């Protein structure tokens, strides 16, 4: 018997030369694309259609092949198909429900594709008809809500979420997707929360649920009242919030693991041997090859949770026993191979297993640690647009955390000490830090380490000014908390001071190039004011009196940098150029730093001359400093411990619109035909009762 091949809805005998035969479902689709009502000649047409295996490719392709005028001619049949799909969702037979869900996916995507042309017909009218749209969408959303909340098939739940993601992402700009008005009215928020709070559902569908929620929250968020924003902001159920945190931690952990695997693969490979042989000139190239695609979708979900819901802050610090479990899970594998959707979804084994094991050198972990590690990777290379967006979003999340009183309380808690192994960019002038020697410290130390690492590693031609400003703001907000609550943090402050002075030197040495693109005085003023914060209030939050002495030592030791900065801003503030006002602010801010330099330098020179020492040791300089504090006069500067709180709508709206557009495109791209494959689904429902 000759083999039967199937291609694009056609059946043919491979050995015959006869005209190919169409499979039955394709013939039925063709009837729908006629102007006549297909059920006139065949009363059981719709009943039979949903027993047929869906041919997504053919149906979507057929819709795309028609022009607007041709599509309008069969509008009644399209409306009828849409309505019968919704009716089929209430059927007892799961095969009908599966076929209806997949048909809806093809219909929505196919009709939306046509909207990109110049035909200009209305999508809602095309799919449902204006007069029936409200009822249609109400019934659709109620059916999806019931399927998601029911005890039934996990495969159906997976397909429901994919349909919803398909519905949300058919347009790049989700705020222009008018169908989502009905998703706002007929909320599925509670169904999403139920998935997140129930461990078996969360393991299989948590990722899709979290990405869906993040996208729905961003629908017309600045133009109207979005019920998903309102509801997310007041969620206080611990199981739900923890469930959401676990899903985010899983996805970020998976990214960190992939990066670590690639890094180890790199180090053990030929390229590593070549680098060692030739020297470190290729380090940057080697590093770029390690890059793993970022996951903006899950990062957006984390941002919305942190920004909107104050209760979620507690989740950041909670240890995740599931992630820490190294034992093999006893749960059976899911019935459907779930391909989660997002910019870079984690692999299916991550979602279906209990959780990820921790790094060997970390005893306990939490979402914040996982996020800090993720940030340390994506913030290394900001040349790529996706990584730049990810780096910016990481800093925005850290800004929200640094402003929160409760978050600061656990960040600075001496009883919550962790080893946080941040990734450090390979650089020619420093050796790779030994991970095993990391001390256990409060979490704020890891945040400060991350900020110092960013400052040190991004002084480049394509200067990321916006990221630097955010980075300095995070440090400033943490210092404001320490000053307010008199927290004496045992941290290597010298590393921060050194990084800030080097950044000032970079701004000065590249003045001409940078001023062509940026107002570098805004950043310079922020850096100088950080030093002013230490000078004015350091005695209330620096760990020991000797730490305060070391601050003065660093300022005196690097006095040439501050002198050069003063000369530069004085030159520009006395000229009538565009930078006059900005430069003069820095001039005034330098008053106490200059007072320290001018007060101590003559005394140090005098001490050296009297004792016939050509070069003083650090201890000798510190001795002079301690002996001459009493005669130093400093000016009290106002507002050093004040800052403007983060506001998304006024300053970040354009960034988030662009970010959500990018995420929507990626989610749609990942929702490929194979993710909607029926093969496994139909095995689950192989018999119809």
């Amino acid at each position: 018997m000759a083999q039967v091949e199937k291609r694009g809805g056609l059946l043919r005998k491979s050995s015959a030369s006869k005209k190919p035969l169409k499979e039955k479902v394709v013939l039925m689709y063709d009837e729908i694309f006629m102007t006549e009502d297909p059920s006139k000649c065949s009363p059981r047409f719709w009943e039979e259609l949903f027993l047929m295996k869906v041919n997504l490719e053919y149906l979507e392709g057929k819709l795309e092949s028609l022009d607007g005028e041709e599509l309008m001619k069969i509008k009644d049949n399209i409306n009828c198909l849409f309505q019968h799909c919704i009716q089929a969702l209430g059927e007892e037979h799961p095969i009908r429900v599966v076929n209806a869900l997949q048909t809806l996916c093809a219909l929505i995507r196919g009709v939306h594709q046509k909207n990109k042309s110049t035909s200009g017909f209305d999508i809602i009218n095309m799919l449902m008809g204006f007069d029936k749209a409200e009822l249609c969408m109400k019934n659709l959303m109620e059916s999806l809500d019931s399927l998601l909340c029911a005890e039934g098939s996990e495969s159906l739940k997976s397909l429901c979420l994919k349909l919803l993601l398909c519905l949300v992402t058919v347009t790049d700009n989700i705020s222009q997707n008018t169908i989502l008005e009905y998703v706002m009215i007929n909320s599925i928020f509670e169904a999403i929360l139920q998935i997140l709070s129930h461990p078996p559902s969360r393991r299989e569908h948590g990722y899709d649920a979290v990405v869906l929620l993040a996208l729905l929250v961003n629908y017309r968020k600045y133009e109207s009242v979005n019920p998903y924003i309102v509801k997310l902001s007041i969620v206080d159920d611990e199981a739900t919030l923890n469930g959401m945190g676990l899903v985010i931690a899983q996805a970020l952990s998976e990214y960190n693991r992939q990066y670590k695997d690639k890094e180890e693969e790199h180090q053990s490979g030929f390229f590593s041997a070549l680098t060692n042989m030739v020297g470190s000139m290729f380090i940057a190239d080697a590093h770029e090859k390690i890059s793993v695609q970022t996951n903006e979708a899950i990062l957006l979900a984390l941002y919305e949770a942190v920004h909107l819901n104050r209760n979620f802050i507690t989740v950041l610090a909670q240890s995740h026993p599931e992630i820490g479990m190294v034992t093999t899970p006893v749960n059976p594998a899911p019935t459907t191979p779930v391909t989660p959707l997002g910019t870079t979804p984690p692999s299916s084994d991550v979602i279906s297993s209990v959780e990820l094991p921790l790094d060997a050198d970390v005893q306990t972990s939490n979402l914040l640690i996982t996020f800090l590690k993720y940030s340390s990777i994506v913030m290394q290379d900001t040349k790529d647009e996706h990584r730049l967006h990810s780096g910016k979003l990481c800093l925005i999340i850290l800004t929200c955390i640094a402003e929160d009183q409760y978050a600061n309380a656990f960040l600075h808690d001496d009883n919550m000490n962790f080893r946080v192994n941040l990734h450090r960019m390979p650089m020619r002038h420093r050796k790779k830090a030994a991970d095993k020697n990391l001390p256990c410290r409060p979490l704020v130390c890891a945040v400060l380490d991350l900020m110092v690492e960013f400052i040190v590693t991004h002084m480049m031609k394509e200067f990321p000014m916006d990221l630097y400003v955010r980075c300095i703001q995070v440090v400033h907000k943490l210092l404001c908390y320490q000053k307010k609550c008199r927290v004496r943090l045992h941290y290597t402050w010298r590393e921060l001071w050194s990084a800030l002075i080097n950044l000032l030197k970079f701004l000065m040495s590249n003045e001409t190039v940078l001023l062509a693109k940026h107002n570098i005085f805004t950043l310079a003023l922020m850096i100088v004011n950080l030093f002013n914060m230490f000078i004015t209030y350091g005695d209330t939050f620096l760990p020991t009196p000797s730490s305060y002495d070391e601050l003065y030592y660093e300022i005196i030791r690097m006095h040439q940098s501050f002198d050069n900065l003063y000369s530069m801003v004085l030159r520009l503030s006395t000229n009538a150029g565009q930078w006059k006002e900005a430069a003069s602010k820095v001039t005034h801010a330098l008053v106490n730093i200059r007072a320290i330099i001018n007060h101590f330098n003559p005394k140090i020179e005098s001490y050296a001359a009297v004792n016939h020492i050509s070069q003083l040791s650090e201890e000798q300089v510190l001795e002079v400093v301690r002996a001459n504090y009493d005669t130093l006069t400093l000016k009290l500067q106002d507002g050093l411990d004040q800052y403007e709180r983060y506001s998304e709508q006024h300053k970040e709206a354009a960034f988030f619109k662009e970010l959500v557009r990018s995420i929507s495109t990626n989610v749609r791209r990942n929702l490929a035909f194979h993710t909607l494959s029926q093969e496994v689904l139909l095995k689950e429902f192989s018999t119809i009762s």
Side-chain angles (χ1 to χ4, degrees):
M1 192 174 171
Q3 257 191 325
V4 176
E5 291 179 10
K6 177 185 165 188
R7 283 182 190 166
L10 304 177
L11 298 173
R12 67 177 176 85
K13 289 185 179 180
S14 55
S15 59
S17 57
K18 291 180 182 177
K19 188 180 177 183
L21 298 170
K22 287 187 177 181
E23 54 182 310
K24 186 171 180 182
V25 74
V26 170
L27 292 169
M28 295 182 86
Y29 291 155
D30 287 346
E31 286 187 58
I32 295 168
F33 284 94
M34 304 292 182
T35 50
E36 291 292 317
D37 178 358
S39 60
K40 268 187 183 176
C41 302
S42 176
R44 291 173 59 84
F45 179 86
W46 299 111
E47 200 176 323
E48 287 178 17
L49 178 68
F50 295 111
L51 289 174
M52 300 285 138
K53 181 179 170 183
V54 176
N55 189 325
L56 278 165
E57 197 173 352
Y58 184 84
L59 181 55
E60 199 170 327
K62 188 83 175 172
L63 284 163
E64 287 181 36
S65 68
L66 301 175
D67 63 35
E69 203 175 307
E70 288 172 322
L71 209 51
M72 282 306 290
K73 286 178 184 174
I74 58 159
K75 175 187 160 303
D76 290 345
N77 283 358
I78 297 287
N79 290 172
C80 213
L81 174 59
F82 197 87
Q83 285 159 27
H84 278 94
C85 283
I86 294 168
Q87 284 172 25
L89 295 181
E91 294 271 356
E92 286 181 21
H93 302 317
I95 287 180
R96 290 184 188 278
V97 180
V98 168
N99 289 331
L101 287 167
Q102 296 204 352
T103 304
L104 282 167
C105 277
L107 262 180
I108 292 162
R109 293 210 308 194
V111 169
H112 259 284
Q113 283 297 322
K114 293 312 301 173
N115 194 45
K116 291 180 180 178
S117 67
T118 52
S119 54
F121 63 85
D122 193 278
I123 291 158
I124 294 172
N125 189 36
M126 190 67 231
L127 284 172
M128 301 164 254
F130 284 128
D131 52 336
K132 294 173 185 164
E134 200 169 319
L135 183 62
C136 266
M137 286 304 296
K138 182 175 180 288
N139 292 338
L140 173 61
M141 295 308 293
E142 281 177 0
S143 294
L144 292 175
D145 188 73
S146 299
L147 289 166
L148 287 170
C149 294
E151 290 293 321
S153 159
E154 296 300 329
S155 299
L156 279 180
K157 289 182 184 180
S158 175
L159 211 46
C160 287
L161 287 167
K162 291 190 193 315
L163 172 60
L164 285 162
L165 282 164
C166 174
L167 191 68
V168 172
T169 62
V170 279
T171 55
D172 288 349
N173 182 349
I174 64 168
S175 294
Q176 290 176 352
N177 186 354
T178 43
I179 293 180
L180 290 189
E181 284 297 331
Y182 300 107
V183 183
M184 295 294 121
I185 297 164
N186 306 287
S187 174
I188 46 144
F189 184 80
E190 284 71 23
I192 293 172
L193 293 199
Q194 187 173 313
I195 287 168
L196 296 175
S197 61
H198 189 231
S201 290
R202 185 186 70 236
R203 280 193 285 272
E204 291 201 36
H205 316 299
Y207 188 89
D208 285 2
V210 163
V211 172
L212 176 63
L213 181 58
L215 289 168
L216 288 171
V217 160
N218 279 278
Y219 174 72
R220 302 193 68 193
K221 70 191 313 190
Y222 308 118
E223 294 102 60
S224 60
V225 177
N226 180 323
Y228 290 85
I229 292 177
V230 177
K231 289 179 179 182
L232 179 59
S233 67
I234 57 173
V235 174
D236 59 0
D237 178 65
E238 200 176 327
T240 305
L241 293 171
N242 284 342
M244 189 173 186
L246 277 167
V247 172
I248 295 167
Q250 261 181 340
L252 297 181
S253 294
E254 170 68 356
Y255 177 92
N256 296 348
R257 185 190 62 75
Q258 285 179 15
Y259 182 87
K260 196 171 182 183
D261 288 351
K262 283 202 174 186
E263 195 175 41
E264 285 170 2
E265 198 180 297
H266 233 68
Q267 286 166 356
S268 61
F270 167 76
F271 200 92
S272 176
L274 183 65
T275 306
N276 292 336
M277 196 181 355
V278 180
S280 56
M281 65 168 73
F282 293 120
I283 278 180
D285 298 331
H287 168 68
E288 282 183 24
K289 291 188 180 182
I290 300 172
S291 65
V292 179
Q293 194 188 350
T294 50
N295 192 333
E296 283 94 1
I298 212 73
L299 210 55
L300 178 68
L302 175 60
Y303 164 74
E304 296 297 357
V306 168
H307 179 232
L308 294 174
N309 191 305
R310 289 213 64 212
N311 299 314
F312 189 80
I313 293 290
T314 61
V315 175
L316 292 173
Q318 240 162 29
S319 59
H320 287 152
E322 287 179 90
I323 293 182
M325 287 175 74
V326 188
T327 52
T328 310
V330 291
N331 301 52
T335 48
T336 316
V338 182
T339 308
L341 304 169
T343 44
T344 314
S347 55
S348 56
D349 62 325
V350 176
I351 296 295
S352 58
S353 66
V354 176
E355 304 285 349
L356 289 166
L358 289 174
D359 293 348
D361 59 323
V362 181
Q363 294 172 351
T364 53
S365 187
N366 54 44
L367 175 54
L368 183 59
I369 292 173
T370 306
F371 167 65
L372 290 173
K373 288 184 180 183
Y374 177 89
S375 301
S376 71
I377 297 169
V378 298
M379 283 163 62
Q380 286 181 52
D381 176 19
T382 54
K383 290 171 190 166
D384 167 70
E385 190 183 3
H386 283 294
R387 281 171 164 263
L388 184 66
H389 282 167
S390 273
K392 181 172 177 174
L393 190 48
C394 286
L395 285 166
I396 289 174
I397 293 168
L398 283 169
T399 301
C400 295
I401 291 169
E403 286 183 5
D404 187 89
Q405 187 78 4
Y406 180 79
N408 267 305
F410 72 70
L411 281 175
H412 292 85
D413 191 341
D414 261 339
N415 299 312
M416 289 176 63
N417 292 328
F418 296 89
R419 282 192 186 91
V420 184
N421 177 20
L422 298 176
H423 289 263
R424 303 179 86 215
M425 189 186 285
M427 295 181 79
R428 295 183 184 94
H429 62 274
R430 68 176 182 187
K431 291 179 180 177
K432 195 175 187 298
D435 301 340
K436 303 291 178 188
N437 301 332
L438 289 168
C440 272
R441 303 174 299 168
L443 283 168
V444 69
C445 295
V447 179
L448 289 168
D449 283 350
L450 183 63
M451 298 301 98
V452 170
E453 177 68 10
F454 181 83
I455 293 168
V456 168
T457 56
H458 288 77
M459 297 179 217
M460 54 180 119
K461 197 175 174 183
E462 290 299 317
F463 189 70
M465 173 64 83
D466 179 56
L467 300 192
Y468 265 106
V469 168
R470 292 174 194 280
C471 178
I472 302 298
Q473 284 173 339
V474 169
V475 175
H476 179 236
K477 286 168 184 180
L478 294 173
L479 290 181
C480 289
Y481 174 83
Q482 289 166 25
K483 179 255 172 184
K484 179 185 170 187
C485 299
R486 293 181 173 264
V487 177
R488 294 191 181 277
L489 183 69
H490 288 271
Y491 182 71
T492 49
W493 291 111
R494 216 171 221 188
E495 287 185 12
L496 173 64
W497 300 331
S498 174
L500 292 172
I501 292 168
N502 283 331
L503 178 54
L504 283 176
K505 285 163 74 176
F506 176 82
L507 294 179
M508 287 183 284
S509 59
N510 294 277
E511 176 196 342
T512 311
V513 176
L514 292 174
L515 274 178
K517 294 180 182 177
H518 311 288
N519 176 3
I520 60 171
F521 302 107
T522 305
L523 184 58
L525 180 64
M526 292 171 75
I527 297 165
V528 170
N529 278 338
L530 275 189
F531 278 102
N532 286 330
M533 184 96 175
F534 281 105
I535 293 164
T536 310
Y537 303 116
D539 58 329
T540 66
F541 63 82
L542 285 171
T544 59
S546 62
S547 302
Y548 196 72
D549 301 338
E550 284 169 12
L551 167 68
Y552 277 65
Y553 174 78
E554 280 301 310
I555 292 170
I556 295 160
R557 187 176 72 87
M558 300 303 292
H559 73 89
Q560 194 61 56
S561 298
F562 291 109
D563 291 343
N564 292 345
L565 176 64
Y566 182 74
S567 300
M568 181 180 92
V569 292
L570 190 65
R571 169 171 47 85
L572 288 161
S573 61
T574 50
N575 293 341
Q578 67 176 112
W579 305 116
K580 181 175 181 175
E581 191 181 342
S584 63
K585 285 181 182 176
V586 184
T587 311
H588 297 310
L590 281 165
V591 62
N592 280 345
I593 292 173
R594 295 194 72 245
I596 290 167
I597 293 165
N598 293 335
H599 176 74
F600 286 106
N601 265 358
K603 301 217 170 6
I604 290 165
E605 285 166 14
S606 171
Y607 179 92
V610 168
N611 292 283
H612 307 289
I613 306 168
S614 59
Q615 199 166 355
L616 271 63
S617 68
E618 181 177 338
E619 196 46 55
Q620 287 167 328
V621 173
L622 287 171
E623 191 184 320
V624 176
V625 168
R626 290 186 194 108
N628 290 280
Y629 273 134
D630 294 348
T631 51
L632 172 66
T633 307
L634 297 175
K635 285 189 177 179
L636 187 63
Q637 293 176 306
D638 294 327
L640 292 175
D641 58 344
Q642 306 295 315
Y643 58 80
E644 186 183 351
R645 290 189 69 84
Y646 170 77
S647 169
E648 179 190 318
Q649 186 166 350
H650 299 109
K651 294 192 173 180
E652 312 295 349
F655 167 70
F656 279 101
K657 279 179 181 174
E658 194 53 46
L659 182 73
V660 172
R661 178 188 287 270
S662 168
I663 291 168
S664 177
T665 307
N666 277 294
V667 170
R668 184 172 68 246
R669 194 180 298 136
N670 284 329
L671 187 63
F673 286 114
H674 63 85
T675 66
L676 299 172
S677 170
Q678 271 188 326
E679 301 304 325
V680 182
L681 287 165
L682 293 178
K683 278 181 188 173
E684 191 181 338
F685 316 124
S686 54
T687 56
I688 301 176
S689 53

